[in-house]
Amino acid sequence: MSTVLLVLIIVNVLISYKGFNDLHFFRKYEFHIGSIRAGEQIRMISSAFLHADIMHLAFNMLTLFFFAPVVIDHLGALSFILIYFGSLIFGSLLTLIFHKDDYSYRAIGASGAVTGELYSAILLQPEMSLYLFFIPIPIPAYIVGIGYLLYSIYGMRAKNDNIGHTAHFGGAIGGYVLTIAMRPAMLTENVFMVVVLAVPIVLLFVLAKTGKI
């Protein structure tokens, strides 16, 4: 395992564990619209190192563990870190934009950053396939990625759960934009994947522009 990936996972685990056992710490650093708009912008980053419980933490770290090596192998450790924190910030900014008037809105988790790495890995290794536990055949990773973002759009519209769908989507946009910026040749060498992965992103902004989300 890459040293930078190991350090990132350890930092997530340590900060999350602190949050599990210290409610004051958890409340001080979670994503909270009212506090952020009052000037506590640090929450836009610190919230991504807090998790609701062990399962939430484990899911994000396992996803990162499986997909981060693809990004590191193709772009290097520094680019991996830039994509991680860039996607994290994209996720927080999109959440702030969509929920700016909901002063009680709260969110936590590394999902935005992790989704950015997932999207980056799919762009860099488009032939990659995934095995989902309830489907016994490999599924192309880009199908899973697109399906996940379409589900996120549904979740953003339905607003019937506590999942931070907006941060997931913002993270995916961050991973998409930053990966193409770092590897612009894929605009001509991998046109199909670039266009296909852009579809749910364009759909989101069309729905937002027309007031349907």
Side-chain angles (χ1 to χ4, degrees):
M1 183 192 297
S2 165
T3 301
V4 69
L5 174 57
L6 179 60
V7 169
L8 192 55
I9 291 175
I10 290 173
V11 170
N12 268 281
V13 170
L14 291 177
I15 295 177
S16 292
Y17 184 76
K18 171 69 172 174
F20 295 156
N21 297 284
D22 187 338
L23 184 59
H24 175 73
F25 178 86
F26 186 91
R27 291 301 183 202
K28 182 178 180 180
Y29 292 110
E30 68 180 347
F31 189 100
H32 178 242
I33 293 290
S35 299
I36 292 170
R37 295 197 62 176
E40 298 180 24
Q41 279 79 22
I42 187 63
R43 291 171 178 263
M44 296 182 69
I45 296 175
S46 63
S47 58
F49 291 90
L50 294 169
H51 290 82
D53 51 37
I54 292 293
M55 289 301 296
H56 185 203
L57 173 64
F59 178 81
N60 276 336
M61 293 305 99
L62 280 172
T63 303
L64 186 64
F65 175 81
F66 285 117
F67 290 99
V70 175
V71 180
I72 294 170
D73 288 346
H74 282 268
L75 299 177
L78 178 58
S79 293
F80 159 71
I81 287 295
L82 290 174
I83 290 171
Y84 186 91
F85 283 96
S87 299
L88 186 163
I89 292 168
F90 264 83
S92 291
L93 286 174
L94 194 68
T95 303
L96 184 60
I97 290 169
F98 272 83
H99 299 280
K100 63 182 183 298
D101 296 321
D102 183 359
Y103 281 70
S104 64
Y105 183 90
R106 301 173 185 272
I108 48 167
S111 299
V114 172
T115 304
E117 297 289 353
L118 169 62
Y119 233 59
S120 178
I122 294 171
L123 279 169
L124 293 166
Q125 196 168 303
E127 72 280 5
M128 181 169 46
S129 295
L130 303 175
Y131 283 90
L132 302 180
F133 69 91
F134 52 87
I135 301 177
I137 59 174
I139 306 297
Y142 73 90
I143 297 294
V144 176
I146 291 171
Y148 184 67
L149 289 196
L150 292 177
Y151 169 70
S152 293
I153 290 178
Y154 167 77
M156 290 167 69
R157 294 189 68 191
K159 299 177 182 178
N160 58 2
D161 56 35
N162 294 318
I163 298 173
H165 297 287
T166 314
H168 298 170
F169 214 108
I173 294 172
Y176 179 86
V177 171
L178 292 170
T179 302
I180 292 176
M182 293 174 184
R183 189 66 67 82
M186 68 174 56
L187 289 171
T188 55
E189 298 172 355
N190 192 16
V191 177
F192 173 76
M193 196 58 59
V194 170
V195 171
V196 166
L197 291 180
V199 170
I201 295 173
V202 172
L203 177 60
L204 172 71
F205 285 103
V206 169
L207 290 173
K209 189 70 174 179
T210 56
K212 295 180 179 178
I213 195 169

